Amino acid sequence: MKILHFTLMPKWYDMIERGEKLEEYCSNNPYWQERLLSGEYDAVEFRCIYTQRTMTFRIKEIRLGKGKEEWGAADDDVFIIELGERIK
């Protein structure tokens, strides 16, 4: 299983943990283009910054598009990591 590792601020981590936020966003820039388009990820592991808290979800889909502003997306196109079931 190929896992994408991601560190989040507590606000976004807590929203995902409560099931309120169903996707995470990455900027559409060369760093994320190379990282996300170069390989198939099966899951994403989130770590809450400054803590040891982690959780892992299956990835349903990674695509470019407009995210939800209230979930932290920028105005332009971003990579959208759509979360599936929690596996850890």
Side-chain angles (χ1 to χ4, degrees), residues 10-70:
K11 174 182 179 176
W12 306 126
Y13 185 95
D14 292 342
M15 286 178 72
I16 291 171
E17 188 173 48
R18 289 190 303 263
E20 296 171 10
K21 185 176 181 204
L22 307 175
E23 52 195 33
E24 183 53 47
Y25 308 114
C26 300
S27 297
N28 182 12
N29 61 36
Y31 173 80
W32 286 109
Q33 289 168 4
E34 181 180 335
R35 193 164 182 200
L36 296 177
L37 299 176
S38 67
E40 292 288 321
Y41 288 97
D42 303 302
V44 58
E45 179 184 82
F46 295 113
R47 179 179 174 274
C48 186
I49 195 166
Y50 310 124
T51 73
Q52 297 298 315
R53 296 167 53 198
T54 63
M55 57 187 167
T56 305
F57 290 84
R58 292 201 188 280
I59 295 175
K60 284 186 180 179
E61 180 182 23
I62 298 175
R63 67 184 184 284
L64 276 172
K66 300 282 185 195
K68 296 183 179 188
E69 195 174 314
E70 64 270 22

